[in-house]
Amino acid sequence: MADGRPTTDWSKFVAPLVLGLAALALWEGLVRAFKIPPYLLPGPILILQTLVTDWQTLMESWWITMSISLAALSVAVILGVALAVAFAASKWIERSFFPYAVVLQVTPIVAIAPLIIIWVNDVKLSLLICAWIVAFFPILSNTTVGLNSADRNLVDLFRLYRASGWQTLRYLKLPAAMPYFLAGLRISGGLSLIGAVVAEFVAGTGGSQSGLAYRILESGYQLRIPRMFAALALISASGILLFLALSLLSHLCLRRWHESALKQES
Amino acid sequence: MAAIVTCRNIAKRFANGTLALDDVSLDVVEHQFLSLLGPSGCGKSTLLRLIAGLSEPSAGKIDWQAGASGLSFVFQEPTLMPWATALDNVLLPLRLAHVPTAERQDRATVALAQVGLAGFEKSYPRELSGGMKMRVSIARALVTRPKVLLMDEPFAALDEITRFRLNNDLLELWQRESLTVVFVTHSVFESAFLSQRIAVMAARPGRVIEDIAVDAPYPRLPDYRTSLTYNEHCRRASAALERAMAHG
């Protein structure tokens, strides 16, 4: 990108773009040619039109879904890193807690969501908890591995210079864990969105405080299928946006030193 | 000539039962360049780690000269933090010792210049060659102004030309800083070029079987490598290593 070489490999962007546009054109063509009614399958142009006309409602819902996902991701980062640090500090804490973290991870969120929604009075908070449960584990497990992956000779070097536990964490273990944490973060970003959407499907909240999942349910009941597709497109777009943002963050943090962020020599 | 470190009847048995060192007694003489030479598995690295305090002997005692403090360790690998610049790597020991920011920056810059890396302060390890990374590692060891420098086969992974250059530079640093060096190596030629004294070790169990003095004068310039004296010292060290292998 910024290495000063004038030639950029445009095919990387152009090829998938052309394929996508061709697929959309084919879709539109088929819908028109076979006169498929919009309540079965709307064409992309109609979906786009719906997106524009329903922009206000959809954007409100989009923001609710996004704010729940981002809040869940933030809590997952704080608690995941904090618990991973506690694991690194004490084998006993790790042995006691880790199995339960796995239990949390392997239990399907759809199965626990109804319980959480019953227990927690506030709908938004219950959605946040569901999204957090899904997003938490990759950050915890990746950071735990990362904190234990510091070069053993460097660990010896820190001992030799009588570094305190805090210094070893700050200057050695946390930087060494960074690439692992960021890889976990990219997975969790997508998962927090999925968790927020799935939980809302289960909760099925109504009214003005609803996210995109409820818009999909609602559109299904009312047979407003183009709107359903528009909401679906927004969810996908948000997932892609999250992934790209977190990839960029990861690249910015690691570009100077980590193998994964280096361009291949040609 | 005072001993700065005295090892008395050292033994080291690992948790798996292996006797890595048995009854090793060795004086490290102040300002001396001492090499530990031996086949792999003779416990020379283990002995170095014991002297560094990175592990405890199972038996025996290691005594440091009263008032002597400050040792540095150079590993076989450069062992740099890949996320930190050369300068940040070098100033790490000072940062850990809470030396004020400005002072540690200055001292690290000087240490980098000492090993011939002025101008590379902001380079990351991946941007440096193997020899340059090892230089950064040596600068990090020197930045604390240690009395004793412990080196564990530091140049084993480098090509011969780079190794020769670093050998010359190391001797110059040793003299200029009046360091005491304990240098672990499996190379007869390297030990005969660098050291004043070679402790030859045998394996199973690891022990010192011979103590050879290399009395060629310093500075040992590159033409020492092709001299008859050097040849003779290599021959003696080589013969001792043969005997060490026969013992093991």
Side-chain angles (χ1 to χ4, degrees):
Chain A
M1 262 184 274
D3 58 356
R5 280 187 304 177
T7 49
T8 309
D9 196 4
W10 287 105
S11 65
K12 210 165 76 179
F13 307 102
V14 171
L17 203 66
V18 167
L19 180 72
L21 286 175
L24 287 176
L26 183 71
W27 177 359
E28 185 70 36
L30 288 174
V31 166
R32 283 174 192 239
F34 294 100
K35 296 198 170 47
I36 301 173
Y39 57 84
L40 278 185
L41 179 67
I45 292 178
L46 182 59
I47 294 170
L48 195 66
Q49 279 169 350
T50 316
L51 200 58
V52 173
T53 50
D54 292 0
W55 187 252
Q56 185 84 37
T57 331
L58 286 174
M59 268 299 125
E60 276 167 20
S61 300
W62 176 80
W63 176 239
I64 286 165
T65 301
M66 277 308 268
S67 59
I68 289 172
S69 311
L70 291 176
L73 186 62
S74 313
V75 179
V77 167
I78 294 165
L79 291 184
V81 172
L83 197 57
V85 168
F87 283 4
S90 156
K91 274 274 160 268
W92 281 107
I93 299 182
E94 177 168 2
R95 279 182 199 142
S96 324
F97 278 83
F98 199 74
Y100 297 102
V102 175
V103 169
L104 212 59
Q105 156 76 3
V106 295
T107 314
I109 189 65
V110 198
I112 357 175
L115 265 181
I116 292 169
I117 289 158
I118 290 168
W119 287 339
V120 181
N121 248 329
D122 186 277
V123 178
K124 259 190 154 175
L125 184 63
S126 61
L127 299 189
L128 196 152
I129 291 172
C130 293
W132 168 76
I133 288 175
V134 187
F136 175 64
F137 190 75
I139 291 181
L140 172 68
S141 77
N142 273 32
T143 312
T144 303
V145 172
L147 287 172
N148 289 323
S149 71
D151 183 335
R152 287 192 47 188
N153 282 338
L154 273 173
V155 175
D156 277 345
L157 190 82
F158 273 67
R159 272 179 56 206
L160 206 66
Y161 290 118
R162 299 194 171 77
S164 66
W166 161 249
Q167 285 177 323
T168 310
L169 181 69
R170 163 80 181 74
Y171 296 116
L172 177 61
K173 292 193 171 172
L174 284 178
M178 200 62 171
Y180 297 83
F181 162 75
L182 288 166
L185 186 66
R186 282 200 291 187
I187 300 169
S188 291
L191 286 180
S192 69
L193 183 67
I194 292 174
V197 169
V198 167
E200 201 188 6
F201 265 111
V202 179
T205 51
S208 58
Q209 286 289 296
S210 312
L212 283 173
Y214 185 72
R215 292 287 158 243
I216 289 177
L217 284 176
E218 179 194 58
S219 310
Y221 299 143
Q222 302 171 352
L223 274 184
R224 294 162 75 179
I225 305 304
R227 185 163 160 165
M228 193 175 182
F229 271 88
L232 196 59
L234 272 180
I235 291 177
S236 302
S238 316
I240 295 167
L241 195 73
L242 261 176
F243 182 79
L244 289 179
L246 294 174
S247 299
L248 180 69
L249 177 74
S250 169
H251 180 79
L252 290 178
C253 291
L254 303 180
R255 69 195 156 136
R256 292 305 301 267
W257 66 275
H258 199 255
E259 295 295 333
S260 69
L262 301 182
K263 284 174 85 83
Q264 274 188 328
E265 311 268 326
S266 50
Chain B
M1 295 236 271
I4 192 161
V5 185
T6 315
C7 304
R8 284 280 161 269
N9 311 103
I10 296 294
K12 177 70 183 177
R13 193 181 283 281
F14 289 131
N16 64 11
T18 315
L19 190 59
L21 289 173
D22 188 25
D23 198 22
V24 172
S25 293
L26 185 74
D27 285 346
V28 179
V29 177
E30 199 168 4
H31 305 310
Q32 196 173 50
F33 200 120
L34 167 68
S35 283
L36 302 180
L37 173 68
S40 52
C42 72
K44 52 194 192 298
S45 294
T46 307
L47 181 57
L48 201 67
R49 289 176 62 86
L50 289 175
I51 294 175
L54 284 172
S55 82
E56 291 292 317
S58 316
K61 257 182 86 181
I62 297 177
D63 287 317
W64 282 75
Q65 185 195 78
S69 66
L71 66 91
S72 283
F73 202 100
V74 176
F75 297 88
Q76 186 171 350
E77 305 293 323
T79 314
L80 303 176
M81 303 179 291
W83 54 82
T85 60
L87 189 75
D88 282 337
N89 268 292
V90 172
L91 60 74
L92 174 79
L94 303 178
R95 171 176 269 154
L96 295 177
H98 304 288
V99 173
T101 314
E103 188 192 335
R104 67 179 184 234
Q105 299 259 356
D106 290 347
R107 281 171 63 180
T109 310
V110 171
L112 272 174
Q114 261 184 330
V115 297
L117 283 182
F120 288 94
E121 290 83 4
K122 292 200 154 40
S123 301
Y124 283 79
R126 69 169 184 88
E127 298 161 344
L128 302 173
S129 68
M132 288 159 97
K133 277 188 257 196
M134 194 39 88
R135 284 172 189 275
V136 175
S137 189
I138 293 172
R140 178 180 59 196
L142 292 178
V143 79
T144 52
R145 300 187 191 123
K147 284 197 143 181
V148 179
L149 184 58
L150 306 174
M151 306 181 91
D152 188 5
E153 299 190 42
F155 308 140
L158 301 175
D159 64 87
E160 194 169 69
I161 296 168
T162 311
R163 190 161 65 237
F164 283 2
R165 284 244 304 274
L166 281 164
N167 283 164
N168 298 337
D169 294 355
L170 176 62
L171 281 185
E172 211 187 298
L173 283 168
W174 164 65
Q175 290 200 298
R176 186 155 22 110
E177 308 288 312
S178 58
L179 292 162
T180 306
V181 178
V182 183
F183 190 97
V184 165
T185 181
H186 55 240
S187 161
V188 165
F189 306 105
E190 197 172 35
S191 62
F193 180 76
L194 292 172
S195 27
Q196 293 172 304
R197 185 178 153 212
I198 305 172
V200 182
M201 296 180 68
R204 279 171 297 273
R207 63 215 183 272
V208 177
I209 60 155
E210 269 179 71
D211 204 322
I212 303 172
V214 183
D215 48 16
Y218 294 87
R220 292 180 184 168
L221 301 171
D223 56 5
Y224 171 62
R225 281 192 188 284
T226 48
S227 70
L228 280 174
T229 8
Y230 176 61
N231 201 3
E232 176 58 22
H233 290 306
C234 288
R235 200 190 56 73
R236 281 171 53 217
S238 204
L241 190 60
E242 283 298 322
R243 287 192 288 277
M245 310 271 270
H247 274 280

